[in-house]
Amino acid sequence: MSSQAVNRGSILVVMGTRPEAIKMAPVVIALRQQFGSDLKVCSTGQHRTMLEEVLRNFGITADYDLNIMRPAQTLTDVTAAVLSGMHDLLTELRPRWVIVQGDTTTSMAAALAAFYQRIPVAHVEAGLRTGDMMNPWPEELNRRLTGVIATRHYPPTTRARDNLLRDGVDPSAILVTGNTVIDALVYMVERLDRDAALREALDQRFLGLDHAYRLDAHTH
């Protein structure tokens, strides 16, 4: 049986930078509980070491690694490398959905690669806007292009949802989720409560921090 037939129902989460990994980790954990081995994770390697560290802390291992980073790359190089790598992966995997996050070059290029193969895209942290295409650059353009491509939109706030509605997005394609970085923060606080070895390692790594400062004390 071909790999295309085996993976016909899979969902592919693509990330390449540390911010993407932090914000997508809770999404990956939740989807893996629902879809099991049908949930696949692809790292483009846009932020190699920083990305791997975050994924490791959340117990996530990438199923695929595009390994795109090269010395002195330009944005054009990164975009072309993600498009090429995603083309090959999507041709083999044929996932049911591709999920991307935010405003990175990885997100934009992965969404475009999925569009070229008629695979629907879901956009986490959709709808943020500055009103200035050059600020932040190139993130504002990346986010807008991803929004044009996406079939499903997951804005963190009602304001972001309203931006999407003004762009003409069908309301039925929008779901306000809140900011997944909060879910990531809560997850790590709970892990630190359970994992004494990790807590000790971080205490030694960040000696200048007040270790008595806790999330629950701050939020009540």
Side-chain angles (χ1 to χ4, degrees):
M1 184 180 292
S2 71
S3 60
Q4 290 189 11
V6 170
N7 294 303
R8 179 68 64 179
S10 63
I11 296 172
L12 181 65
V13 173
V14 183
M15 61 186 86
T17 68
R18 180 166 58 182
E20 285 170 281
I22 293 171
K23 294 178 180 181
M24 287 293 270
V27 178
V28 170
I29 292 168
L31 288 174
R32 186 149 282 161
Q33 291 174 349
Q34 181 175 358
F35 294 102
S37 61
D38 285 335
L39 190 280
K40 306 295 183 182
V41 175
C42 172
S43 164
T44 66
Q46 187 176 339
H47 288 176
R48 164 60 58 203
T49 303
M50 294 184 287
L51 176 68
E52 290 178 348
E53 181 181 17
V54 171
L55 293 181
R56 185 167 56 250
N57 286 333
F58 283 93
I60 297 171
T61 301
D63 299 286
Y64 308 97
D65 187 349
L66 301 187
N67 192 25
I68 68 166
M69 289 309 295
R70 301 293 182 271
Q73 284 190 129
T74 66
L75 280 173
T76 301
D77 295 328
V78 173
T79 302
V82 174
L83 275 172
S84 177
M86 287 300 300
H87 171 269
D88 295 341
L89 176 57
L90 295 175
T91 298
E92 174 188 355
L93 187 62
R94 297 304 304 175
R96 188 167 75 243
W97 284 89
V98 169
I99 305 177
V100 298
Q101 190 278 334
D103 57 11
T104 68
T105 300
T106 281
S107 295
M108 180 273 293
L112 185 58
F115 175 78
Y116 284 160
Q117 298 203 35
R118 299 178 183 271
I119 298 170
V121 172
H123 188 197
V124 176
E125 199 183 67
L128 274 64
R129 300 287 185 268
T130 68
D132 181 355
M133 196 68 74
M134 300 301 291
N135 181 32
W137 181 91
E139 287 82 5
E140 182 71 6
L141 178 63
N142 287 341
R143 191 187 300 273
R144 293 195 186 204
L145 287 177
T146 304
V148 170
I149 294 168
T151 302
R152 298 287 181 183
H153 307 259
Y154 299 103
T157 64
T158 55
R159 182 175 181 179
R161 178 201 61 197
D162 292 343
N163 290 335
L164 293 168
L165 293 173
R166 280 192 291 271
D167 288 345
V169 175
D170 186 338
S172 67
I174 302 171
L175 177 65
V176 178
T177 62
N179 194 331
T180 58
V181 76
I182 303 302
D183 299 289
L185 177 61
V186 170
Y187 176 93
M188 288 307 300
V189 168
E190 292 175 348
R191 184 183 169 192
L192 286 170
D193 284 340
R194 299 190 308 268
D195 192 333
L198 177 62
R199 188 166 61 249
E200 175 63 23
L202 291 178
D203 283 348
Q204 293 301 315
R205 183 176 177 182
F206 301 104
L207 292 172
L209 296 181
D210 179 2
H211 305 309
Y213 184 83
R214 295 178 53 83
L215 177 67
D216 52 4
H218 179 64
T219 55
H220 288 315

